[in-house]
C-alpha cells in the first residue's frame, strides 16, 4: 500500500514544464508510474503525445535515461536495452540493478506496436510495458484506434449525417490479450485510483520477467471534456465497469477495485463530447448495445476471477 506523504517526498522523474495540455492524463500516469520505481530506471517511449510533449528539442522533461523509439517498436527497443544490460552484467561490467520500462499510447501499443510488444513479452524480457490508453491516435489529430470505444466520434469515425453512431466496432480488450501471453504480471488501472496504480506498478517491477500495465489516461481534447474533469471521468469509467480494475498475477485473475454500486454506462458517456451524438433521438439502441457489452464483459471478468483464470492454472 502506497503512502502519499512518502511518495510526495520522492524525486519527480518527469518534471513540470513539458507541453502536454492541462488535464492530459498521460503525464499524470507517468508521474505515478515513476513514483513506484525505486531502483535506477531506463525509459523508452514510442512516438506519440507523451514523447512529443516531453522532449521538445533541445529540452527534456525526463530526469532519467530516456530513449525515443519509432511509433511501432518501443517494446523491441527496450527489450534490446534489457538484453544488453543482462550481457554486461554477466560480464561483470555493470554491478547495479537497473529497471526497464517502455511507454506507448494505445495507437503504439494496441495497433502498430503490437507485434513488437507481443514479441518482447513472449521472449521473456525483464521489463515493464506501460500503455497509457487515451483511446485514439491523439497526437496526429484524433483518429480512431482499436482502443477507441464503440460510439466514440473521432476524425476517422465521425458522427456525421449519414453514419451517425461514431465508431461502429467495440474496443479491443488488450489487457486480456496480454494475459493470454501467460506472462508473470498483467494489470489494468487508471489515474483516478493512484493507490491501485502504484501498487500494480510496484508488482510489475518486482516480478522477474515481463509485465504489462494498461492505464486509462484521458485526452481532454479527444474526449471533449473539461481539463478539470480528467480524474473524475476515470472514476466514472471504473464505477460503470467500463474500465474494471484488475490484475492477472501468475495466471490468477483478481478484481482489485469492485464498485459499491455499478453505475449505468450513461454516467461515463454523457460528460464526454465525443459521445454527444449518442444522446440524440434515434441512437438509443446504440447506448443499449454499449451497456449490454459492458455487462457481458463485466460478467466474464467476474467469472474469470471466480475460477482464478478461466481454466488457466496458476504458475507454481
Ligand atoms: C509508422 C508510423 N506511422 C504513423 C506515424 C504518425 N504518428 C505519429 S504519432 C501517431 C499517433 C500516436 O497515437 P498513440 O500511440 O495513441 O499516442 P497518443 O498520441 O494518443 O498519445 C501517429 C499516427 C508514425 N510516426 N510512424
Amino acid at each position: 500500500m502506497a503512502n502519499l506523504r512518502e511518495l510526495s517526498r520522492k524525486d519527480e522523474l518527469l518534471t513540470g514544464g513539458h507541453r502536454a495540455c492541462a488535464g492530459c492524463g498521460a503525464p499524470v500516469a507517468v508521474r505515478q508510474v515513476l513514483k513506484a520505481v525505486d531502483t535506477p530506471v531506463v525509459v523508452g517511449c514510442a512516438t506519440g503525445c507523451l514523447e512529443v510533449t516531453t522532449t521538445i528539442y533541445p529540452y527534456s522533461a525526463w530526469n532519467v535515461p530516456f530513449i525515443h523509439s519509432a511509433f511501432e517498436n518501443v517494446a523491441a527497443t527496450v527489450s534490446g536495452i534489457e538484453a544488453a544490460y543482462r550481457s554486461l552484467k554477466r560480464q561483470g561490467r555493470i554491478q547495479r540493478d537497473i529497471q526497464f520500462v517502455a511507454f506507448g499510447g494505445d495507437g503504439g501499443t494496441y495497433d502498430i506496436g503490437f507485434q513488437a510488444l507481443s514479441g518482447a513479452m513472449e521472449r521473456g524480457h525483464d521489463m515493464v510495458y506501460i500503455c497509457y490508453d487515451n483511446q485514439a491516435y491523439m497526437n496526429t489529430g484524433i483518429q480512431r484506434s482499436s482502443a477507441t470505444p464503440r460510439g466514440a466520434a473521432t476524425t476517422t469515425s465521425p458522427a456525421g449525417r449519414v453514419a451517425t453512431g461514431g465508431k461502429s466496432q467495440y474496443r479491443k480488450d488488450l489487457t486480456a490479450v496480454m494475459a493470454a501471453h501467460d506472462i508473470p504480471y498483467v494489470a489494468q488501472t487508471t489515474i483516478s485510483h493512484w493507490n491501485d496504480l502504484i501498487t500494480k506498478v510496484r508488482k510489475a517491477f518486482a516480478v522477474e520477467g515481463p509485465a504489462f500495465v494498461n492505464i486509462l489516461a484521458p485526452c481532454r481534447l479527444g474526449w471533449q471534456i473539461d481539463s478539470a474533469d480528467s480524474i473524475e471521468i476515470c472514476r466514472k469509467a471504473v464505477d460503470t465497469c467500463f474500465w474494471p480494475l484488475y490484475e492477472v498475477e501468475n495466471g490468477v485473475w483478481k478484481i482489485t477495485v469492485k464498485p459499491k454500486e455499478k453505475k449505468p454506462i450513461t454516467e461515463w458517456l454523457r460528460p464526454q463530447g465525443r459521445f454527444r451524438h449518442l444522446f440524440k433521438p434515434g441512437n438509443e439502441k446504440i447506448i443499449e448495445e454499449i451497456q449490454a457489452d459492458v455487462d457481458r464483459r463485466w460478467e466474464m471478468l467476474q467469472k474469470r476471477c471466480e475460477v482464478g483464470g478461466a481454466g488457466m492454472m496458476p504458475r507454481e
Side-chain angles (χ1 to χ4, degrees):
M1 178 111 165
N3 173 324
L4 260 191
R5 184 194 299 243
E6 188 190 298
L7 292 173
S8 65
R9 289 206 187 107
K10 291 186 76 172
D11 290 343
E12 288 292 352
L13 300 181
L14 181 77
T15 63
H18 55 72
R19 316 283 176 86
C21 300
C24 175
V28 181
V30 173
R31 284 178 61 212
Q32 292 185 6
V33 167
L34 295 180
K35 288 276 181 194
V37 195
D38 284 324
T39 42
V41 63
V42 172
V43 172
C45 187
T47 305
C49 272
L50 177 65
E51 170 268 323
V52 166
T53 57
T54 56
T55 61
I56 294 178
Y57 183 80
Y59 303 106
S60 168
W62 298 85
N63 262 334
V64 285
F66 174 91
I67 184 163
H68 165 214
S69 75
F71 183 34
E72 60 270 41
N73 60 6
V74 66
T77 305
V78 174
S79 70
I81 302 170
E82 188 270 341
Y85 159 76
R86 253 187 300 125
S87 167
L88 290 170
K89 218 169 179 197
R90 239 188 346 257
Q91 297 168 44
R93 290 163 71 185
I94 291 183
Q95 269 80 38
R96 288 193 299 176
D97 286 332
I98 302 174
Q99 305 271 21
F100 300 91
V101 56
F103 287 100
D106 50 287
T109 307
Y110 284 63
D111 299 340
I112 193 165
F114 179 70
Q115 61 84 15
L117 168 62
S118 181
M121 299 291 110
E122 186 271 331
R123 290 191 303 275
H125 291 277
D126 192 7
M127 61 182 274
V128 177
Y129 190 103
I130 305 277
C131 174
Y132 66 97
D133 181 354
N134 56 26
Q135 306 194 319
Y137 294 57
M138 297 304 183
N139 182 245
T140 41
I142 320 174
Q143 295 90 21
R144 58 87 88 188
S145 77
S146 64
T148 305
R150 164 127 197 248
T154 70
T155 52
T156 47
S157 61
R161 260 166 302 177
V162 183
T164 54
K167 190 187 170 197
S168 52
Q169 301 86 5
Y170 293 99
R171 55 177 292 278
K172 183 197 280 182
D173 186 357
L174 185 69
T175 311
V177 174
M178 295 318 295
H181 283 66
D182 202 17
I183 53 179
Y185 192 74
V186 173
Q188 181 163 294
T189 184
T190 184
I191 56 174
S192 54
H193 292 61
W194 61 268
N195 209 338
D196 184 79
L197 188 153
I198 286 173
T199 305
K200 284 173 177 164
V201 173
R202 280 191 174 152
K203 283 189 181 184
F205 277 107
V207 295
E208 216 172 288
F212 174 84
V213 182
N214 202 357
I215 304 179
L216 185 71
C219 164
R220 55 147 308 262
L221 249 157
W223 295 19
Q224 300 172 48
I225 55 172
D226 201 87
S227 298
D229 295 336
S230 286
I231 299 294
E232 195 47 41
I233 200 75
C234 291
R235 219 166 267 139
K236 290 202 159 92
V238 177
D239 288 345
T240 57
C241 298
F242 169 83
W243 189 263
L245 304 188
Y246 68 97
E247 65 186 7
V248 187
E249 200 174 357
N250 291 321
V252 180
W253 292 61
K254 186 178 157 210
I255 295 169
T256 54
V257 173
K258 211 162 196 169
K260 278 195 196 76
E261 176 204 349
K262 181 168 174 274
K263 301 267 171 66
I265 195 62
T266 44
E267 292 205 13
W268 146 260
L269 299 173
R270 201 185 293 276
Q272 302 182 53
R274 63 181 174 153
F275 297 118
R276 191 176 299 126
H277 53 282
L278 297 182
F279 293 90
K280 288 192 180 141
N283 283 340
E284 298 82 358
K285 192 158 176 292
I286 300 176
I287 295 187
E288 277 168 30
E289 285 170 5
I290 293 173
Q291 180 69 66
D293 183 65
V294 167
D295 295 348
R296 183 183 64 85
R297 289 181 196 240
W298 176 237
E299 276 300 310
M300 200 161 66
L301 177 63
Q302 290 184 98
K303 286 206 179 102
R304 276 176 165 160
C305 293
E306 275 164 29
V307 298
M312 281 166 72
M313 291 295 290
R315 282 160 200 257
E316 286 304 312

